[in-house]
Each structure stands twice: as structure tokens, then as C-alpha cells.
Amino acid sequence: DSGVTQTPKHLITATGQRVTLRCSPRSGDLSVYWYQQSLDQGLQFLIQYYNGEERAKGNILERFSAQQFPDLHSELNLSSLELGDSALYFCASSVDSSYGYTFGSGTRLTVV
Amino acid sequence: EDQVTQSPEALRLQEGESSSLNCSYTVSGLRGLFWYRQDPGKGPEFLFTLYSAGEEKEKERLKATLTKKESFLHITAPKPEDSATYLCAVQAVNYGQNFVFGPGTRLSVLP
């Protein structure tokens, strides 16, 4: 157990739907990062939050949004889902990225 | 444009057969190069951080080295449990706290 908890582990939904992925960071970590991993794209950075504030954005689609709550857990919202959104979505946390991230075990999203 | 590439894409070794994985990068202002291990269906697990050319880090059968343009992950006398995908990631001064990940090398160690 890495200390980063992601739920749900698996999610199957239809095109056009909306889903919410949840992440609880490791205790003491203020930064939360969301990454998407698909077979053809590798790990792609989506967005970072630090202590409730958005800190950086990567290749995140406008249909996707995220937030970090006062208790530091984070949610990634994916809407108007398309088949191409099927991927593994990872959350990671860190206290200082110089020491690398701690990743959760991911949520596997399948859009049918 | 910043790039991180890894080679080979896949590598099959016999148990005990040592080899090296390569990570090549072109970034401006490297802050650090990171190696991760990823098992199927799991999140990447942090292995090493290297900050400057000439630096080396070791952990069990793994040794990571860094030059100005690439990093190598040397695997000495691998065991089947070393089978995984190995990812390298770079952090640059204009990335903030974020990384650009390479595509990974899928390592299989056969008994």
C-alpha cells in the first residue's frame, strides 16, 4: 500500500456520461497530481493541486476538471465521455517532488 | 521541444543475464531525472533521482547513471521478480513540480 488511495478501481460507463474519480493523498502530502495513462500515449500529466489551489495544468481537456478539498482529497471529473477517454487514471502525491511522487494504484476507466 | 525517449521498447532476459536500459532526453534546464518501476495494473513506484552528470545511485540489482544527454539503468544478474516496465521521467526548471515521462521499457526476466 503506497498510502495514496484511489477509488473506484474500475469504472465502466457509456459515451456521453460523466464520472468522478477520487484520490486521497498520502498523509502529510499537500500536492496532488493527476495523470492519464493510455497504451499509445504513455503517462500524460493532467493537472496539479497544492493545498487546495490549482498549481499547474498539462494536457487536460476542457471536458475534464478537478478540485482539491480542504481535507486534501481530490476529485477528477470527466464529462461527455468519449471512447478515447478509456485509460488508466493515476493520482500521485508528494511533499516535495524532488523525492519523486507516490502514485496510487489507479482507476481503470472503460468507456463503451 | 522537450523529449524523453527510452530504448529498447521491450527486453527479454534470462535470469542472471545483465543488461542496461536507456533513457535519452532533450530538455532545457534539467532539474532531475527520475526512474520508476511499474508493475501491470499498478501505479509507478519511485526508484531513483539523479541530479547531475556523473551521478550514480544503486538499489539491490539496479544502478542508475546520468550523463548530460541520457541515463542508463543497469540491471545486474536480474531475477524474474525484476520483470516490470521501467519508466524514466525528467523534471525541468520550467515544469514546476511536474514531470515528462518516457514511454517505458518493458522488461521480462525468464527463469
Side-chain angles (χ1 to χ4, degrees):
Chain A
D1 181 8
S2 68
V4 178
T5 303
Q6 288 189 249
T7 57
K9 290 194 183 305
H10 302 277
L11 200 48
I12 302 175
T13 190
T15 54
Q17 294 298 303
R18 172 190 168 94
V19 297
T20 297
L21 313 183
R22 182 186 168 103
C23 169
S24 293
R26 198 177 52 166
S27 178
D29 289 353
L30 299 180
S31 281
V32 168
Y33 310 79
W34 286 97
Y35 279 80
Q36 180 191 57
Q37 187 175 41
S38 56
L39 283 175
D40 57 344
Q41 292 283 332
L43 266 168
Q44 299 287 316
F45 168 66
L46 295 177
I47 197 164
Q48 177 203 355
Y49 278 82
Y50 177 83
N51 201 22
E53 301 283 331
E54 182 184 302
R55 182 60 67 93
K57 262 186 174 179
N59 301 319
I60 188 166
L61 300 171
E62 285 192 12
R63 301 183 285 109
F64 296 0
S65 65
Q67 54 185 327
Q68 187 179 27
F69 295 87
D71 67 351
L72 300 179
H73 92 270
S74 178
E75 293 181 355
L76 179 67
N77 301 296
L78 314 176
S79 61
S80 302
L81 285 167
E82 303 174 358
L83 295 177
D85 297 327
S86 296
L88 268 168
Y89 290 84
F90 286 106
C91 167
S93 72
S94 73
V95 60
D96 179 344
S97 65
S98 300
Y99 302 105
Y101 297 159
T102 301
F103 281 85
S105 56
T107 292
R108 182 176 293 281
L109 174 67
T110 303
V111 183
V112 297
Chain B
E1 183 185 332
D2 295 343
Q3 260 197 326
V4 182
T5 58
Q6 291 187 246
S7 61
E9 185 175 320
L11 180 64
R12 297 181 73 176
L13 300 173
Q14 290 296 133
E15 184 171 2
E17 180 186 0
S18 302
S19 188
S20 295
L21 313 182
N22 175 268
C23 171
S24 295
Y25 61 92
T26 52
V27 296
S28 301
L30 180 75
R31 285 178 60 192
L33 186 139
F34 298 71
W35 282 97
Y36 288 82
R37 168 194 170 126
Q38 185 175 21
D39 293 300
K42 295 190 176 181
E45 177 188 343
F46 172 72
L47 294 173
F48 303 109
T49 309
L50 301 165
Y51 293 105
S52 56
E55 189 175 358
E56 297 183 353
K57 294 274 179 73
E58 281 190 71
K59 180 179 180 179
E60 296 181 355
R61 294 176 293 282
L62 301 176
K63 183 168 82 171
T65 62
L66 182 65
T67 71
K68 287 190 176 179
K69 293 185 178 180
E70 57 192 350
S71 176
F72 293 94
L73 185 65
H74 307 277
I75 304 177
T76 302
K79 298 182 177 182
E81 53 261 42
D82 294 322
S83 297
T85 296
Y86 291 85
L87 301 165
C88 73
V90 297
Q91 190 178 51
V93 293
N94 59 338
Y95 293 172
Q97 291 189 328
N98 306 309
F99 300 92
V100 172
F101 279 84
T105 292
R106 199 167 55 254
L107 174 67
S108 300
V109 181
L110 308 176

